[in-house]
Amino acid sequence: MSADDHVSVLLTEAVSALAIKPDGIYVDATFGRGGHSREILVRLGAQGRLIALDRDPAAIAAGRAINDDRFVLCHAAFSEIGTVLDELQVGAVDGVLMDIGVSSPQLDEAARGFSFRFDAPLDMRMDTSRGMTAAEWLQQASQQEIERVVRDYGEERFAHAIAKAVVAARVECRIATTGQFAALVEKAVRTREPGQHPATRSFQALRIHINQELEELSLTLPQCVARLAAGGRLVVISFHSLEDRIVKRFMRENAQPPRLPARLPVRAADLPQPVLRLVGKPQYASADEVAANPRARSAVMRIAEKREPCCA
Ligand SMILES: C[S@@+](CC[C@H](N)C(=O)[O-])C[C@H]1O[C@@H](n2cnc3c(N)ncnc32)[C@H](O)[C@@H]1O
C-alpha cells in the first residue's frame, strides 16, 4: 500500500445503508481517496448522480482519476454543502454519506504534520489552502485557550501542565515541529497509558481544534437533513466519542416529536412529527475488518432516514 492509499471503513455497509436508487442523487461529503464514492458509482444507473466534497486539496487531486459524467468533485468543507448544492442547482438529494475524521494519507504523509510518528512541520490543516497551522496557533493562543482545547478535545488530564509547558517553551523558541510538540507533551504528562504515546490525546485535540471538526459537524447535520428528499438516508461514520455524541444526539432529537411545555393544550396527534426515522442500531466494523484495518476499530456508523411528508 502506498502513502496515498486509504482503506475505506465499513465500505459495503455504508453504501448499502444509503439504499441507493439507480437514478438518485447522492452526496459523499468526505471523498478522501474515493473508496465509498467508487462503490456508490457502481450502484448508480446511467441517470444517477454523485456529488463529492473534500476540504483537502490532495483528495481533490486524487479524485481527478475518476472520469465519469455522473460524478462531480468539489473542493469545499462539508459545512458548505448547502452552497455547493445551490451552485450545482441541485435541490433535494437521496442520500448523504459522511465518513468523518482524517484519511490514512493525511496521517501517513509526514509533511502534513498530523502525527508524532514523524518529525515534520506542525501543520495539521486538512485544507492546506487556508487557515492557521497548529504551529501558528500554538504561538499565539493564550495558556487558558490551549488548556481548554487540550482538555476538551483531547480529554487530557494533564491539560494544565501541557498548556503551561507550551507557553514557557515558546518564549525560548517557536514550537514549529511535531517532534518539538510531542517531546514537550511527553514531559508534561506524568502517567502512561498502556499502548498509547503520551502525546496522542494532545495531537487529537490540536487537530480537532485547527480543523474546527466538531463545529463543522454540528453545522452540517441540519443542512443534510434539510436537503434530503423524503425517504433519503443520512449515513455518518465517526471515529471518536466526541463526534459520535454529536451525531447520536442530533439523530435522536430529530427522530422524536419536539418537547413542548407540560400542560400546553395540544393533542398528541396535532404535534409536529419528527423529521427523521432512525434506521437500525449503530454499526461497528467486524472483527475481520478490524484485523485487516486497525483504523476501523473505533468506527461507529449511524443511519437515519427522512420521513415522508405525510407523517412529517
Ligand atoms: C476518513 S476520510 C474519508 C475516506 C473516504 N470515505 C474513502 O473511502 O476514501 C475523511 C476525509 O474527510 C475529509 N474531511 C474531514 N472533515 C471535512 C470537512 N469538514 N469538510 C470536508 N471534508 C472533510 C478529510 O479531508 C478526509 O479526506
Coordinates of all heavy atoms in Angstrom, one line a residue, residues 100 152 155 214 217-218 221-222 225 234 236 238 240-259 274-278 282 300-304:
I100 N -16.3 10.7 8.6 CA -15.5 11.9 9.1 C -14.2 11.5 9.7 O -13.9 10.4 10.0 CB -16.4 12.8 10.0 CG1 -17.1 11.9 11.0 CG2 -17.4 13.6 9.2 CD1 -18.1 12.7 11.8
D152 N -10.6 19.7 26.5 CA -12.0 19.4 26.0 C -11.9 18.4 24.8 O -12.7 17.6 24.6 CB -12.7 20.6 25.5 CG -13.1 21.5 26.8 OD1 -12.8 21.0 27.9 OD2 -13.6 22.6 26.6
E155 N -9.5 15.2 25.9 CA -9.9 14.6 27.2 C -8.6 14.2 28.0 O -8.5 13.1 28.5 CB -10.8 13.4 26.9 CG -12.1 13.9 26.2 CD -13.0 12.8 25.7 OE1 -12.7 12.1 24.8 OE2 -14.1 12.7 26.3
L214 N -15.6 19.7 15.3 CA -16.9 19.5 15.9 C -17.9 20.5 15.4 O -19.1 20.2 15.2 CB -16.8 19.5 17.4 CG -15.8 18.5 18.0 CD1 -15.8 18.5 19.5 CD2 -16.1 17.1 17.5
L217 N -19.2 19.6 12.0 CA -20.2 18.5 12.0 C -21.5 19.1 12.5 O -22.5 18.8 11.9 CB -19.7 17.4 13.0 CG -20.5 16.2 13.2 CD1 -20.7 15.5 11.9 CD2 -19.8 15.3 14.2
S218 N -21.5 19.9 13.5 CA -22.8 20.4 14.0 C -23.4 21.3 13.0 O -24.7 21.4 12.9 CB -22.5 21.3 15.3 OG -21.9 20.5 16.3
L221 N -24.9 18.7 9.9 CA -26.0 17.7 10.0 C -27.4 18.3 9.7 O -28.1 17.7 8.9 CB -26.0 17.1 11.4 CG -24.7 16.2 11.7 CD1 -24.7 15.8 13.2 CD2 -24.7 15.0 10.8
P222 N -27.7 19.5 10.2 CA -29.1 20.1 9.9 C -29.2 20.4 8.4 O -30.3 20.2 7.8 CB -29.1 21.4 10.7 CG -28.0 21.3 11.7 CD -27.0 20.4 11.2
V225 N -30.1 17.2 6.5 CA -31.5 16.8 6.7 C -32.4 17.7 5.9 O -33.3 17.3 5.2 CB -31.9 16.9 8.2 CG1 -33.4 16.7 8.4 CG2 -31.1 15.8 8.9
L234 N -29.3 9.5 5.7 CA -28.1 10.2 6.2 C -27.3 9.1 6.9 O -27.8 8.5 7.8 CB -28.5 11.3 7.2 CG -27.3 12.0 7.9 CD1 -26.4 12.7 6.9 CD2 -27.9 13.0 8.9
V236 N -23.7 8.3 8.7 CA -22.5 9.0 9.3 C -21.6 8.0 10.0 O -22.0 7.3 10.9 CB -22.8 10.1 10.3 CG1 -21.6 10.9 10.7 CG2 -23.9 11.1 9.7
S238 N -18.3 7.9 12.4 CA -17.4 8.7 13.1 C -16.3 7.8 13.8 O -16.5 6.6 14.0 CB -18.1 9.6 14.1 OG -19.0 8.9 14.8
H240 N -14.4 9.0 16.8 CA -14.2 9.2 18.3 C -15.5 9.7 19.0 O -16.4 10.2 18.3 CB -13.0 10.0 18.6 CG -12.9 11.4 18.1 ND1 -13.7 12.4 18.6 CD2 -12.2 11.9 17.1 CE1 -13.5 13.5 18.0 NE2 -12.6 13.2 17.1
S241 N -15.5 9.5 20.3 CA -16.7 9.7 21.0 C -17.3 11.1 20.9 O -18.5 11.3 21.0 CB -16.5 9.3 22.5 OG -15.5 10.0 23.0
L242 N -16.4 12.1 20.8 CA -16.9 13.5 20.8 C -17.7 13.7 19.5 O -18.8 14.4 19.6 CB -15.7 14.5 20.7 CG -14.8 14.5 22.0 CD1 -13.6 15.4 21.8 CD2 -15.6 15.0 23.2
E243 N -17.3 13.1 18.4 CA -18.1 13.2 17.1 C -19.3 12.4 17.2 O -20.4 12.9 16.9 CB -17.3 12.7 16.0 CG -16.1 13.5 15.5 CD -15.2 12.7 14.5 OE1 -15.3 11.5 14.4 OE2 -14.4 13.4 13.8
D244 N -19.2 11.2 17.7 CA -20.3 10.3 17.7 C -21.4 10.8 18.6 O -22.6 10.6 18.3 CB -19.9 8.9 18.2 CG -21.0 7.9 18.1 OD1 -21.7 7.8 17.0 OD2 -21.4 7.2 19.1
R245 N -21.0 11.5 19.7 CA -22.0 12.0 20.6 C -22.9 13.1 19.9 O -24.1 13.1 20.1 CB -21.3 12.7 21.8 CG -22.1 12.9 23.0 CD -21.2 13.4 24.2 NE -20.1 12.5 24.5 CZ -19.0 12.9 25.1 NH1 -18.8 14.2 25.4 NH2 -18.0 12.1 25.3
I246 N -22.2 13.9 19.1 CA -23.0 14.9 18.3 C -23.9 14.3 17.3 O -25.1 14.6 17.2 CB -22.0 15.8 17.6 CG1 -21.2 16.7 18.6 CG2 -22.7 16.8 16.6 CD1 -20.0 17.5 18.0
V247 N -23.5 13.2 16.6 CA -24.3 12.5 15.6 C -25.5 11.9 16.3 O -26.6 12.0 15.9 CB -23.5 11.5 14.9 CG1 -24.3 10.8 13.8 CG2 -22.3 12.2 14.2
K248 N -25.2 11.2 17.4 CA -26.2 10.4 18.2 C -27.3 11.4 18.7 O -28.5 11.1 18.4 CB -25.5 9.7 19.3 CG -26.5 8.9 20.2 CD -25.7 7.9 21.0 CE -25.6 8.5 22.4 NZ -24.8 7.5 23.3
R249 N -26.9 12.5 19.3 CA -27.8 13.4 19.8 C -28.7 14.0 18.7 O -29.9 14.1 18.8 CB -27.1 14.6 20.5 CG -26.8 14.2 21.9 CD -26.6 15.5 22.8 NE -26.0 15.0 24.0 CZ -25.0 15.6 24.6 NH1 -24.5 16.8 24.1 NH2 -24.5 15.2 25.7
F250 N -28.0 14.4 17.6 CA -28.7 15.1 16.5 C -29.8 14.1 16.0 O -30.9 14.5 15.8 CB -27.7 15.5 15.4 CG -28.4 16.1 14.2 CD1 -28.8 17.4 14.2 CD2 -28.7 15.3 13.2 CE1 -29.5 17.9 13.1 CE2 -29.4 15.8 12.1 CZ -29.8 17.1 12.1
M251 N -29.4 12.9 15.7 CA -30.3 11.9 15.1 C -31.5 11.6 16.1 O -32.6 11.6 15.7 CB -29.6 10.7 14.7 CG -28.7 10.9 13.4 SD -28.1 9.3 12.8 CE -27.3 9.8 11.3
R252 N -31.1 11.4 17.3 CA -32.2 11.1 18.3 C -33.2 12.3 18.4 O -34.4 12.1 18.5 CB -31.6 10.9 19.7 CG -31.0 9.5 19.8 CD -31.0 9.1 21.2 NE -30.4 7.8 21.3 CZ -29.6 7.4 22.3 NH1 -29.4 8.2 23.3 NH2 -29.1 6.2 22.4
E253 N -32.6 13.5 18.6 CA -33.5 14.6 18.8 C -34.4 14.8 17.6 O -35.6 15.2 17.7 CB -32.7 15.9 19.0 CG -32.3 16.1 20.4 CD -31.3 17.1 20.7 OE1 -31.1 18.0 19.8 OE2 -30.6 17.1 21.7
N254 N -33.9 14.6 16.4 CA -34.8 14.8 15.2 C -35.7 13.6 14.9 O -36.4 13.6 13.9 CB -33.9 15.1 14.0 CG -33.4 16.6 14.1 OD1 -34.1 17.5 13.8 ND2 -32.2 16.8 14.6
A255 N -35.5 12.5 15.7 CA -36.4 11.4 15.5 C -37.4 11.3 16.6 O -38.2 10.3 16.7 CB -35.5 10.1 15.5
Q256 N -37.5 12.4 17.4 CA -38.5 12.4 18.4 C -39.4 13.6 18.2 O -38.9 14.7 17.7 CB -37.9 12.6 19.8 CG -37.2 11.4 20.3 CD -36.4 11.8 21.5 OE1 -36.3 13.0 21.9 NE2 -35.7 10.8 22.1
P257 N -40.7 13.6 18.6 CA -41.5 14.8 18.5 C -40.9 15.9 19.4 O -40.3 15.6 20.4 CB -42.9 14.3 19.0 CG -42.8 12.9 19.2 CD -41.4 12.5 19.2
P258 N -41.0 17.2 18.9 CA -40.5 18.2 19.8 C -41.1 18.2 21.2 O -42.3 18.0 21.3 CB -40.8 19.5 19.0 CG -41.8 19.1 18.0 CD -41.7 17.6 17.8
R259 N -40.2 18.5 22.2 CA -40.8 18.6 23.5 C -41.5 19.9 23.7 O -40.9 21.0 23.5 CB -39.6 18.4 24.5 CG -39.5 17.0 24.9 CD -38.5 16.8 26.0 NE -37.4 15.9 25.5 CZ -36.1 16.2 25.5 NH1 -35.7 17.4 26.0 NH2 -35.2 15.4 25.0
P274 N -41.7 14.1 14.0 CA -40.2 14.2 13.8 C -39.9 14.1 12.3 O -40.6 13.5 11.6 CB -39.7 13.0 14.6 CG -40.8 12.1 14.9 CD -42.1 13.0 14.8
V275 N -38.7 14.6 12.0 CA -38.3 14.7 10.6 C -37.5 13.4 10.2 O -37.5 13.1 9.0 CB -37.6 16.0 10.3 CG1 -36.2 16.0 11.0 CG2 -37.4 16.3 8.9
L276 N -36.9 12.8 11.2 CA -36.1 11.6 10.9 C -36.7 10.3 11.5 O -37.4 10.4 12.5 CB -34.7 11.8 11.4 CG -33.8 12.9 10.8 CD1 -32.4 12.9 11.5 CD2 -33.6 12.6 9.3
R277 N -36.3 9.2 10.9 CA -36.5 7.9 11.5 C -35.2 7.2 11.6 O -34.4 7.3 10.7 CB -37.4 7.1 10.5 CG -37.7 5.7 10.9 CD -38.6 5.0 9.9 NE -37.9 4.6 8.7 CZ -37.2 3.5 8.6 NH1 -37.1 2.7 9.6 NH2 -36.6 3.2 7.4
L278 N -34.9 6.7 12.8 CA -33.6 6.0 13.0 C -33.7 4.7 12.3 O -34.7 4.0 12.3 CB -33.3 5.8 14.5 CG -33.2 7.0 15.3 CD1 -32.9 6.7 16.8 CD2 -32.2 8.0 14.8
P282 N -26.6 1.4 15.9 CA -25.3 1.8 15.4 C -24.5 0.5 15.0 O -24.7 -0.6 15.6 CB -24.6 2.4 16.7 CG -25.6 2.4 17.8 CD -26.8 1.8 17.3
V300 N -17.9 4.0 14.3 CA -19.3 3.8 14.6 C -20.1 4.4 13.5 O -19.9 5.6 13.1 CB -19.7 4.6 15.9 CG1 -21.2 4.2 16.3 CG2 -18.8 4.3 17.0
M301 N -21.1 3.6 12.9 CA -21.9 4.2 11.8 C -23.3 4.3 12.3 O -23.9 3.3 12.8 CB -21.8 3.2 10.6 CG -22.7 3.7 9.5 SD -22.4 2.7 8.0 CE -23.3 1.3 8.3
R302 N -23.9 5.5 12.1 CA -25.3 5.7 12.4 C -26.1 6.1 11.1 O -25.6 6.8 10.3 CB -25.5 6.8 13.5 CG -24.8 6.4 14.8 CD -25.0 7.4 15.9 NE -24.3 7.0 17.0 CZ -24.8 6.3 18.0 NH1 -26.0 5.9 18.0 NH2 -24.0 5.9 19.0
I303 N -27.3 5.6 11.1 CA -28.1 5.8 9.9 C -29.5 6.4 10.3 O -30.1 5.9 11.2 CB -28.4 4.4 9.2 CG1 -27.1 3.6 9.0 CG2 -29.1 4.6 7.8 CD1 -27.4 2.1 8.8
A304 N -29.9 7.4 9.5 CA -31.3 7.9 9.7 C -31.9 8.2 8.4 O -31.2 8.4 7.4 CB -31.2 9.2 10.5

